[in-house]
Amino acid sequence: MTGASVRYASRRTAKARSSEASRPAARLRKPKVPLAPYLYILPSILLFGLFVFYPFIKTLSLSFFATDQGGAAGLWVGLDNYKNLVSSRDFLMSLRVTLEFAVKVVAGSMLLGFVTAILANEAVPMRSLFRTVYAMPLAVSSACITVICIFILNPTMGILNFLLGSQTRWLNDVNTALNSVAAVTIWLYIGINYIFIIAALQMVDATLYESAAIDGAGFFRKHIHITLPGISPTLFFLMIVNVLNSFQSYAQVNLMTQGGPGKFTRVIVYQIYLEAFQYNRFGAAAAQSVVLFLIMLALTLMQFRLERKVSY
Amino acid sequence: MVRKIFAKGVLFAVNLLMALLIVAPLLYCVSVSFMTEPELFSYPPAFLPGRLQLQNYFSALAFAPVFRFILNSLVVAAACTAGQLFFGALAGYAFAMHEFPGKYWLFLLMLSTMMIPGQAIILANYLTVANLHLIDSYAALVLPYLTSAFCLFNMRQAFLKLPGELYESAALDGCGSMTFFLRIGLPLVKPQLGSLGVYTFLAVWNQYLWPLLVTNKTEARTVQIGIGMLQSSDGNAYGPIMAGVTMVLIPSVVVFLVGQKSLVSGLTAGALKG
């Protein structure tokens, strides 16, 4: 009897223990999982899911198909789209064009951003007006400045040829077309480069400049040895931003040259657009989009590596 | 002393030259928009119009519904700005001031969207919109840009700067989480909201490729596509084209001039940390 009651007692205790854990009083001691934060991030998650993650996966999957005109995946072709890219002279050409374009744009816009930042950092009269002007390209759209420049670059009526006394057909000549598109793009990027560089300039330790002045360093020397290293993190950040932006350029090419003359200004994004909407080959265009993404990822990673090696 | 004045003079002159070079295309555009046809085709080309006449503006308006384009762009830019600010602030608030399981991974997930460039997914987004029969609608123009990881990230930074005790003391007084957000949190992050708002408005106003893809009807198009239309239909009608460009530039330049201080401080505050 005693043994059974002991067993019964211990069984009851165990059962009582487990039921105690589920009684309301005990639950209050466990931390509640809050519902509210999940609700707050839900709209963003849904929108990202539909317009970022889903299309990313769809692009990947589409690149393995040949599609019909509605964009629906028609025929599985495996890696054929990618194989065709490697041998496609059009695509390889657009890679070369884009690379050359990016190098010119990044170099030009960072140089001009640096120059305007240095100029606007000095104490001169009307400085706030200058500062506004230097940042203003940020407000102007690529379509607007492109259309204005189309007129300025007009061979017969344009003001540039008049000022230079030349007859150059800027947008039609194989030698000048890409440079013209690059120049317009550089103008567009001056604003953002200026804004970040001048902010970085103002964080450079002023005492460094003072000791340089005592040592007799001139204008150029002090900037090469103090300023450039001092703002190098910002310069690396800007380099990445400029490269990514230039790889996504579209409006300038679409309005100024339509990829011409020949294919000399056909940048990757324009090539993708043609592939999809003119040749109706969404599968091939998707493959090119994937390659574009990989290239941009690689360039970004390379720049991070470089920064780690060079930065102070 | 003389050297200092000379140096200042040189710097001022170089600044002036640089600024004129940069702003020259814009000034020239406005100038041309007032020129008459004979002036446009004259040789040597004119820099300034003889007098201010609005004929080009009337021609531009007659050719394309420019005011309609401006309205469309205003609606889209305002909606996207409001959406990105609100949803970004809400999510940033959640990440900054709450603890919940999976917070770290969810945040990384959101941040990863910044790594995917728009051009890589724009085709698939076009197909999604087309299949939902949303072509030519405001929804197509607005929905993909209703939230942004950039805004989310910046708003999270902004909320992180608020003292943690603020939320706790408000909770002690019985303030709910959403009430805190609307009544206390948002007003305190107004500077960041302002700068992100200016940046987003300009970015959406200046969009070109996406509106080009998802609109076909003229009345549905936005301002930048309208410029493209003016240019490609009659490439020689430079007077009306420049008038169109001037009309389209006015809202974005005004927004820029009004918000530039806010914009600049907001952009640079985040980027220069560490």
Side-chain angles (χ1 to χ4, degrees), chain B residues 1-253:
Chain B
M1 191 59 204
V2 176
R3 264 181 95 197
K4 262 207 166 154
I5 299 182
F6 179 71
K8 264 224 168 113
V10 167
L11 280 171
F12 177 77
V14 178
N15 260 307
L16 194 61
L17 186 65
M18 198 64 174
L20 279 176
L21 274 176
I22 291 180
V23 85
L26 302 177
L27 294 177
Y28 185 57
C29 168
V30 176
S31 175
V32 169
S33 72
F34 292 118
M35 287 186 190
T36 60
E37 260 203 63
E39 279 173 325
L40 278 173
F41 286 88
S42 69
Y43 190 87
F47 284 93
L48 288 174
R51 59 188 182 85
L52 297 177
Q53 52 95 28
L54 294 175
Q55 182 51 45
N56 290 324
Y57 287 89
F58 294 136
S59 306
L61 287 169
F63 172 75
V66 180
F67 285 150
R68 175 78 207 210
F69 294 154
I70 292 184
L71 177 71
N72 288 339
S73 280
L74 272 177
V75 168
V76 171
C80 289
T81 304
Q84 290 191 24
L85 287 182
F86 185 70
F87 293 130
L90 203 53
Y93 169 62
F95 284 116
M97 295 188 115
H98 294 77
E99 289 301 324
F100 49 98
K103 177 164 123 162
Y104 177 71
W105 296 106
L106 281 171
F107 185 61
L108 278 189
L109 190 69
M110 305 282 205
L111 229 50
S112 71
T113 61
M114 287 212 274
M115 284 250 60
I116 301 177
Q119 306 296 17
I121 54 176
I122 205 164
L123 273 187
N125 272 331
Y126 164 76
L127 290 173
T128 306
V129 164
N131 290 332
L132 290 174
H133 302 290
L134 287 175
I135 299 278
D136 284 328
S137 69
Y138 279 141
L141 289 166
V142 170
L143 281 177
Y145 299 99
L146 207 52
T147 190
S148 103
F150 182 70
C151 283
L152 197 163
F153 182 71
N154 276 289
M155 290 316 304
R156 175 177 172 268
Q157 302 284 85
F159 278 108
L160 281 177
K161 288 208 187 103
L162 298 182
E165 304 83 52
L166 201 62
Y167 185 67
E168 283 154 22
S169 51
L172 279 176
D173 288 342
C175 176
S177 168
M178 193 58 167
T179 319
F180 177 85
F181 175 69
L182 291 172
R183 290 264 180 87
I184 305 178
L186 276 187
L188 283 174
V189 296
K190 263 209 214 127
Q192 289 87 340
L193 284 175
S195 68
L196 284 173
V198 174
Y199 183 78
T200 306
F201 184 88
L202 288 176
V204 177
W205 180 270
N206 291 340
Q207 274 179 339
Y208 186 78
L209 183 54
W210 180 248
L212 182 66
L213 292 183
V214 300
T215 57
N216 288 319
K217 286 194 312 207
T218 310
E219 307 83 56
R221 304 208 114 159
T222 58
V223 127
Q224 310 302 338
I225 313 299
I227 296 296
M229 282 171 59
L230 276 177
Q231 167 70 36
S232 48
S233 63
D234 185 3
N236 286 319
Y238 287 115
I241 293 177
M242 293 301 143
V245 172
T246 307
M247 283 193 277
V248 164
L249 276 177
I250 289 175
S252 57
V253 171

Side-chain angles (χ1 to χ4, degrees), chain A residues 126-180:
Chain A
M126 288 185 7
R127 186 169 66 174
S128 49
L129 178 68
F130 294 136
R131 288 183 166 179
T132 301
V133 169
Y134 295 147
M136 198 175 286
L138 195 57
V140 178
S141 71
S142 46
C144 284
I145 186 67
T146 301
V147 166
I148 296 177
C149 285
I150 290 178
F151 183 45
I152 294 181
L153 295 174
N154 186 296
T156 46
M157 287 166 53
I159 208 148
L160 185 65
N161 271 347
F162 170 70
L163 290 172
L164 293 178
S166 71
Q167 306 277 336
T168 321
R169 301 179 72 211
W170 297 98
L171 300 177
N172 287 318
D173 188 327
V174 157
N175 295 319
T176 55
L178 190 61
N179 291 334
S180 307

Side-chain angles (χ1 to χ4, degrees), chain A residues 95-108:
Chain A
L95 276 182
R96 238 197 53 204
V97 168
T98 310
L99 209 55
E100 188 184 336
F101 176 71
V103 167
K104 288 179 175 169
V105 166
V106 173

